[in-house]
Amino acid sequence: MQKVTWIVFLMLVVRFHSFSQDLSLETDYILLSLNKYGELVGLLDKVTGSDYIIPHQNPSLIRIRVEGDYWTPNAIASGGELISLNYPVGNTTLEIAVKTHARYVSFEVVSVVSDAEIDLIVWGPYPTVISETIGESVGVVRNTDFALGIQALNVKTLGGYPSSEDDIEPAYDIFETGNLTDVEGDWRQKKYYRGQTAKPVEGGSVLQGYTRNRNTDRIIENWGHTHYLAPAYEDGGIVGSKIAIFGCPPAEALAVIGEIELAEGLPHPMIDGEWAKTARSATASYLIIGFAEDDLDEALALTKKAGLKYLYHGHPFKSWGHFPLIEKSFPDNWQSMKRSVDRAKEQGVSLGVHTLSNFIQTNDPYVTPIPDQRLAKVGQSVLVGDLDADAEEIVIESPLFFNQMKNNSLKAVLIGDEIIRYDEVSDSQPWRLLGCIRGAYGTTASAHRKGESVGKLMDHGYKVFLSDAALSEKIAITLANLFNETGLLQISFDGLEGVWSTGMGQYARALFTKTWYDHLHPDIQGRVINDASNPSHFNWHINTRYNWGEPWYAGFRESQTQYRLMNQDFYRRNLLPSMLGWFSMNSQTSIEDTEWLLARAAGFDAGFAFNVNLHQVAENKASEAIFQAINTWETARMSGAFTKEQKLRMEDIKNEFHLEPVGANEWKLYQYKIERFVHDQKIRQPGEPVHSVFEFDNPFDEQELMFLIDLTLGDGDRSAKIQSIKIEINNHAELEIPVSMDQSQVLKLGRDGVIALYEKNWDLVQSIQVDRKIPLLKRGKNSILIDAEFLTDGRSSLKFELKAISSPEKVVPSAD
């Protein structure tokens, strides 16, 4: 039942009444107050009496924009469950349906009367005094006592503010993709924003949303182009724009959003009967393997060995657009994938695929031999005269859309059914496209008549074309059909920024994923996991999670490490499941690096993608231990076995750990103290010592020495070789190792007390016997002397990793 409360008594009737006192809308937790000017003047916590609106700012419930100028209402009237906002421009009246629910209030624009053309409306911005936790994408701000949130209740109501006409949400203090290992400082202090549905401001935060009127074509700046045609899009305009506002204790914010989703018909994805935002399997780690139908069993065996339930193909498609599968791997196209899915299901594994959303490769049927007229265009002009089939210059009426060379990788135009590539645009009239290649991408060169349209095709640096709104919808439906017909249960919408080609920014992102989601069979819809590379407020409801962090730049410990850590903060403040991104195993990946990753996953309770190549797995002789470690750690993590204190220690990338199974549901957790030293090759006068001395502080009980040693080349060195390594502890206990090793090898002394020489791929070369006991590291400070005989000239270095290990901590599944 709706609860509408007046601060002064007033009988509500169907006829509208103006009022001179505040109107309050009441939920279980808040009183939301509007004054006679349609301004939001109160967001009151009913329990504590705290008002969370920043005082004296009085934001309007809705602002309108007409010809670029913003207007606020100057009067408000009420009748039943409707309020009417009047504006001093164009005799404008907005009629708003208001409905209170137990834990939120909804507002919907149900009619507009105006002599003016309204560009857009803005809900808010609503200023709050809350600044502790700002969920910029989900639209929720929290402190220790209370949470306030705004939710867009349909796909055309956008989270954020129309800061630019392209509707691409700005990101604040964001780092571009690439190697982010040089980011300095504590990641917890980094403010890293994706969107602005909630946004920090002086004194607190704001909550905001908007809807644009898209009934006419617009020329905007978009994605590197100063002039871009955003075509008209018929969606009813600002009528139907709808939001919810809620307040509650912070621990209940996620549950309230779930209630809003169900009550308002928003996407509410499930995973095997549980809401995806709370399901443990939302953080499930997975293997990425380029499997084929005939080697699927090998990939499945690895997945099960790792104790994982999802196997993902990174690049199964012959082309993006129609999404045919690579014939060599899947000879019967989607039917081959369906057979693979069925075989995997029998073994308890779900299959998934990676996509580039609306990217369209030049070999796809949308491009060749007859191009689809719905390929996205930057804009268009017309032919000034007739064009022969072999002409290499094209005379056009205007160069406006054609001489923008940023984000213009393919330099392609569409005339009729022919794609033509050009080199440049003439610098004076008559405007000409020069250096033309006719019949590009397998289209047919043909003659064209004066006045025909010349469309500048939009493209991407991946050397692909993109889609307009109609073709984006078609591609999304094709992806849904792929899942319905094959039973695939995991997808990543990588490259989702590609739909900016529509000129509709974040709106297009939400339309694309919602179209896909709406066309899934209920059985698939209730089990599928999806993520994306580009979030939006509405897509928060559709995407199971996000999984950023690329493995291509360095090893596990270095590739985008700070980026991955900052993402965990993003997930937490936006009430999302945590993921660590992709990590790529190669033939030299070590068990130590793997456990470094697994400890981070346990610390943040975050899943990850483990990208492997079957050939490199076979080459790496530590593979068995690596996959067993993944099984051990992920089984413990998914059972909730680690305590808050343990997880906090594992968040620190400087701390390293080892986990051992004890029984079916019990493990031993060990923490390492690790220091890394470098002993350089030195040139000294005869008789002068060339050893190095370091200090190692062992915080644990006295124990035998453990180390890893490898050899690195100096600048200009082609090879390096050492022999007779000597280690002395506390000027007393010596360990002389009779070994000869080069830069392709690793020397290891582990807990088993065995000194072993390995190739870089962990193939055992030899076990080395020594004539005395392994030296002991005492508790506290230890002096470590390292020496070795370098057999080659140059500036090579011996890298020495020294470690000590703690007593075990018992780990068992949580009772919760």
Side-chain angles (χ1 to χ4, degrees), residues 251-273:
E252 297 184 33
L254 186 60
V256 171
I257 295 174
E259 291 176 17
I260 292 172
E261 287 182 349
L262 292 171
E264 299 293 337
L266 294 173
H268 188 75
M270 309 292 285
I271 304 178
D272 296 329

Side-chain angles (χ1 to χ4, degrees), residues 727-735 772-776:
I727 302 172
E728 184 179 274
I729 307 298
N730 297 321
N731 298 313
H732 171 64
E734 288 187 358
L735 179 65
R772 61 185 68 190
K773 291 181 179 180
I774 303 298
L776 297 177

Side-chain angles (χ1 to χ4, degrees), residues 681-734:
Q681 184 174 5
K682 304 180 182 73
I683 300 175
R684 294 287 189 267
Q685 63 184 357
E688 184 179 356
V690 291
H691 60 252
S692 299
V693 178
F694 306 100
E695 184 177 88
F696 179 81
D697 193 352
N698 173 25
F700 308 125
D701 292 337
E702 185 177 68
Q703 58 190 272
E704 289 185 346
L705 178 71
M706 293 184 290
F707 61 72
L708 273 174
I709 295 175
D710 64 2
L711 192 59
T712 60
L713 297 175
D715 292 341
D717 291 350
R718 294 186 178 182
S719 64
K721 196 175 188 69
I722 59 172
Q723 68 178 15
S724 302
I725 297 174
K726 174 184 175 182
I727 302 172
E728 184 179 274
I729 307 298
N730 297 321
N731 298 313
H732 171 64
E734 288 187 358

Side-chain angles (χ1 to χ4, degrees), residues 484-539:
N484 292 334
E485 292 183 24
T486 63
L488 288 164
L489 288 178
Q490 187 181 347
I491 187 173
S492 177
F493 293 103
D494 197 5
L496 197 53
E497 66 275 9
V499 294
W500 294 344
S501 60
T502 62
M504 297 194 295
Q506 62 157 316
Y507 186 22
R509 285 181 295 183
L511 283 170
F512 189 88
T513 52
K514 185 175 187 296
T515 299
W516 168 80
Y517 182 80
D518 287 346
H519 284 81
L520 294 175
H521 290 164
D523 179 57
I524 300 296
Q525 200 179 72
R527 293 185 294 149
V528 68
I529 287 177
N530 78 94
D531 60 46
S533 62
N534 200 314
S536 70
H537 174 65
F538 190 87
N539 275 356

Side-chain angles (χ1 to χ4, degrees), residues 587-606:
S587 61
Q588 297 182 14
T589 299
S590 67
I591 184 63
E592 287 81 10
D593 284 348
T594 303
E595 286 208 289
W596 180 91
L597 157 63
L598 294 167
R600 275 2 96 195
F604 290 104
D605 198 7

